[in-house]
Amino acid sequence: MAEAQEKDNFWLIIGGIIVATIILVVMLKGRETEHLESGAVAELQKETFSKIEQRRTRNTSTAEQISGK
């Protein structure tokens, strides 16, 4: 009768894991758009769209070219 019952820490560990996960998600969510502030994405998009536009104009035939003049 004098046996000491072992304390069950299972739910305490599960709770700690949940809290740690929530903190990690909040921290990462805050850093999610940091790369957009540098302007690198906007510059890359500008460069990409200009190259696409150059390709379109280069591949477009004029009426004179089609008629063979």
Side-chain angles (χ1 to χ4, degrees):
M1 291 241 255
E3 294 177 17
Q5 186 178 1
E6 247 185 76
K7 189 171 180 182
D8 188 15
N9 290 329
F10 177 75
W11 291 110
L12 188 61
I13 293 171
I14 297 297
I17 291 172
I18 291 172
V19 168
T21 303
I22 290 172
I23 290 172
L24 186 64
V25 166
V26 168
M27 287 174 44
L28 291 175
K29 206 59 169 146
R31 297 189 59 197
E32 186 176 26
T33 58
E34 267 183 20
H35 66 282
L36 296 176
E37 295 171 3
S38 69
V41 173
E43 184 157 341
L44 181 62
Q45 283 181 340
K46 182 176 138 185
E47 180 183 342
T48 303
F49 289 130
S50 70
K51 288 185 187 254
I52 290 172
E53 190 61 34
Q54 286 175 357
R55 184 178 291 171
R56 273 192 202 144
T57 57
R58 196 172 1 156
N59 290 339
T60 305
S61 300
T62 62
E64 290 178 1
Q65 291 171 335
I66 293 172
S67 66
K69 292 182 180 178

